[in-house]
Amino acid sequence: GYDAEMCEIRKLLEENKQQFYDHKLNWGAKLSSYAREVEGLPSGTIPVFIELILDIPYPSQSIIIDHHNLKSGDTKQSSIEQVAELLNVSLNRWQRMIAINDVQWIDGLVDFGATKEEIEKIRQYDRKCQGISDEDERKAEEAIKKIESYGSLAVVKISHIHASAVMDRLYGKFENILVVS
C-alpha cells in the first residue's frame, strides 16, 4: 500500500535497475493481486514480495520483506532498510527518516534529531504518497477548527478516510485523539 516508504522503495528499485511489478494497491495489499506475475516467473527466479499479505502459494525461494503484523518488532528493520540491504546500498538521511517515519512516526523523527522542517516535509510527502489530496488537507484543517474536547479526549470529524491529515496537525497537542471518518 502506498505511503512514503513505498514511494522511496520504488525509487530505490528504479535507481538500481531492478525489475518490479506495481499495481499501485492500497494498504492491505495481497499477493493474489500479482497471481499472474507469480505464475509467470521463469524457473530459478527469486521473487521478492514487499509488504504483501501472502494469501496464495508462492515459490519457496521467495524473499519476504515486511515489518508489519507478524513481521513487526522493535528490532525489525523497516521495509526500505531491508530492500537497501538486499540491494547492498546505503540509505541517505532522507531515506533513513522515511524508514523511521514508517516505524515510529513523528516521535521517532524527533528522537532521530530531525528538524521541524524535515519532519513537516516527510509528513507532507507521506500524505501525498498515501493519495491525500489538497482538498482532503483543506477539509482536515476545517475539521480541526470544529474540534470537540471531552477532558483528555479530542474528537475530530472528517469527511474522508485520511486520518493522518488530522493527526499530523494535532501532534503533541492532545493526550487522546479520536478521528471519526
Side-chain angles (χ1 to χ4, degrees):
Y2 266 76
D3 60 11
E5 184 181 42
M6 291 310 261
C7 286
E8 287 301 306
I9 287 172
R10 181 184 179 97
K11 287 179 185 177
L12 272 178
L13 295 174
E14 289 169 344
E15 289 167 2
N16 288 276
K17 299 180 181 12
Q18 298 298 306
Q19 179 182 357
F20 62 91
Y21 300 99
D22 180 3
H23 293 304
K24 300 188 188 303
L25 303 174
N26 293 322
W27 290 343
K30 296 180 179 180
L31 181 57
S32 57
S33 298
Y34 295 94
R36 185 177 313 144
E37 289 86 350
V38 173
E39 290 169 7
L41 288 171
S43 179
T45 300
I46 301 174
V48 178
F49 304 128
I50 303 173
E51 293 191 5
L52 292 168
I53 296 169
L54 305 172
D55 63 331
I56 61 171
Y58 54 90
S60 60
Q61 73 273 22
S62 300
I63 297 172
I64 310 303
I65 291 184
D66 204 345
H67 65 99
H68 300 286
N69 305 314
L70 296 176
K71 299 281 188 183
S72 66
D74 290 340
T75 60
K76 186 71 174 179
Q77 288 182 312
S78 69
S79 293
I80 191 172
E81 290 169 313
Q82 292 175 59
V83 169
E85 187 174 287
L86 193 60
L87 294 171
N88 198 29
V89 297
S90 297
L91 297 178
N92 60 33
R93 180 176 175 83
W94 171 260
Q95 294 163 331
R96 288 193 334 256
M97 287 190 296
I98 292 291
I100 292 165
N101 173 68
D102 200 78
V103 175
Q104 299 173 321
W105 192 48
I106 296 172
D107 291 334
L109 291 169
V110 169
D111 291 346
F112 177 72
T115 66
K116 184 177 179 180
E117 293 78 19
E118 286 174 320
I119 292 169
E120 180 59 27
K121 191 173 178 183
I122 291 280
R123 293 306 309 146
Q124 284 177 350
Y125 179 61
D126 197 13
R127 294 192 309 270
K128 181 180 178 187
C129 289
Q130 291 174 36
I132 298 175
S133 68
D134 290 342
E135 179 66 11
D136 293 335
E137 296 279 8
R138 188 191 62 71
K139 287 179 179 179
E141 289 173 354
E142 289 301 314
I144 289 171
K145 291 177 184 174
K146 300 174 186 171
I147 200 164
E148 299 170 24
S149 186
Y150 304 93
S152 66
L153 174 65
V155 178
V156 181
K157 297 175 184 172
I158 56 175
S159 60
H160 53 75
I161 61 168
H162 304 293
S164 62
V166 170
M167 295 300 293
D168 289 354
R169 288 172 168 85
L170 296 180
Y171 175 78
K173 295 181 180 172
F174 295 94
E175 185 177 344
N176 301 294
I177 303 169
L178 173 64
V179 178
V180 180
S181 64

